[in-house]
Amino acid sequence: NAGVMQNPRHLVRRRGQEARLRCSPMKGHSHVYWYRQLPEEGLKFMVYLQKENIIDESGMPKERFSAEFPKEGPSILRIQQVVRGDSAAYFCASSPPPRPSEQYFGPGTRLTVT
Amino acid sequence: DQQVKQNSPSLSVQEGRISILNCDYTNSMFDYFLWYKKYPAEGPTFLISISSIKDKNEDGRFTVFLNKSAKHLSLHIVPSQPGDSAVYFCAASPTTSGTYKYIFGTGTRLKVLA
């Protein structure tokens, strides 16, 4: 059973460009979470999604950030007009029903904004 | 507002001895607690969890203790092995509030000396 997959593993963007991060959950998992880890800090919750629904986006910045988990395909975290402060490691996790509290993490995407 | 705190950024332990990692939380809504281990450039790996209805959970060399009145949990690793050297994050989740997001501490870097 393949684990949570994220791509790309490394992404370099110039200020003002858009970044798209993809996450394929484990097979059979219908809950996806995105977390961000800034240098020397812990992981910070961003958003919790189920298929076609955003359940909790309390950790998402109000502007430039959006997330989706369509009926088919991976979950996408989109950052528009990136700034240097967006440089971080972005981790996706997935969990199975009916135990959404067990989250399995992907390897992360390291975003560098130059 | 750090709701989950790991006050020791680092810990060194001799191989074969016990490692004790500590974590404090402030939010009474948290009812599910976990420990994750993380190596550089990888995603967090689940170690062990505990529900708020318990005060201890054991899995092999890993034991988690929960003291609800003190809002404190700890992870014991015994015996410690060099391969345990990693950053350890505690996380808490308010599952009864309808969201399963994790709130992470800032991590403790464990070094097990051979």
Side-chain angles (χ1 to χ4, degrees):
Chain A
N1 186 13
V4 177
M5 299 175 68
Q6 290 187 249
N7 67 80
R9 291 294 308 274
H10 300 275
L11 182 62
V12 179
R13 286 286 178 265
R14 291 187 177 151
R15 279 181 298 170
Q17 290 185 320
E18 178 179 288
R20 280 184 180 239
L21 289 65
R22 293 174 185 76
C23 169
S24 296
M26 289 178 71
K27 189 176 180 180
H29 288 196
S30 56
H31 302 251
V32 164
Y33 314 78
W34 286 93
Y35 294 85
R36 174 166 67 173
Q37 184 181 25
L38 295 169
E40 305 303 321
E41 293 188 13
L43 286 77
K44 300 268 193 240
F45 168 77
M46 299 181 76
V47 62
Y48 164 33
L49 309 103
Q50 295 179 20
K51 288 276 187 183
E52 300 183 284
N53 277 310
I54 296 175
I55 307 302
D56 182 348
E57 56 182 346
S58 58
M60 286 281 268
K62 294 288 184 281
E63 297 176 348
R64 303 187 296 109
F65 285 73
S66 62
E68 63 176 5
F69 188 18
K71 188 176 179 181
E72 302 290 338
S75 175
I76 306 284
L77 178 68
R78 182 180 176 206
I79 311 173
Q80 295 179 289
Q81 298 176 313
V82 296
V83 300
R84 287 224 173 97
D86 297 332
S87 295
Y90 291 82
F91 292 96
C92 166
S94 71
S95 62
R99 297 191 305 276
S101 52
E102 293 180 14
Q103 296 181 22
Y104 298 84
F105 282 80
T109 294
R110 185 161 300 277
L111 172 66
T112 301
V113 179
T114 62
Chain B
D1 177 25
Q2 191 70 26
Q3 298 183 67
V4 178
K5 298 178 186 178
Q6 293 177 256
N7 291 319
S8 299
S10 63
L11 175 68
S12 290
V13 171
Q14 209 64 35
E15 181 181 6
R17 306 295 286 266
I18 185 170
S19 295
I20 300 176
L21 294 91
N22 293 302
C23 180
D24 297 293
Y25 62 96
T26 58
N27 192 334
S28 300
M29 294 293 292
F30 294 148
D31 58 357
Y32 191 65
F33 304 88
L34 311 95
W35 285 94
Y36 279 81
K37 172 178 169 179
K38 188 179 180 305
Y39 294 116
E42 294 185 13
T45 303
F46 170 76
L47 276 177
I48 193 167
S49 63
I50 188 166
S51 164
S52 60
I53 62 173
K54 295 187 175 182
D55 54 21
K56 177 182 173 182
N57 189 25
E58 194 170 349
D59 184 0
R61 296 186 299 114
F62 302 92
T63 303
V64 56
F65 295 92
L66 176 62
N67 182 333
K68 287 188 291 295
S69 60
K71 293 191 174 66
H72 177 83
L73 64 155
S74 61
L75 174 69
H76 292 209
I77 307 172
V78 56
S80 301
Q81 300 173 353
D84 296 330
S85 297
V87 178
Y88 288 77
F89 291 97
C90 72
S93 185
T95 62
T96 53
S97 67
T99 180
Y100 299 95
K101 65 183 180 186
Y102 289 172
I103 308 300
F104 281 88
T106 51
T108 296
R109 185 177 302 276
L110 173 65
K111 189 170 184 179
V112 180
L113 306 168

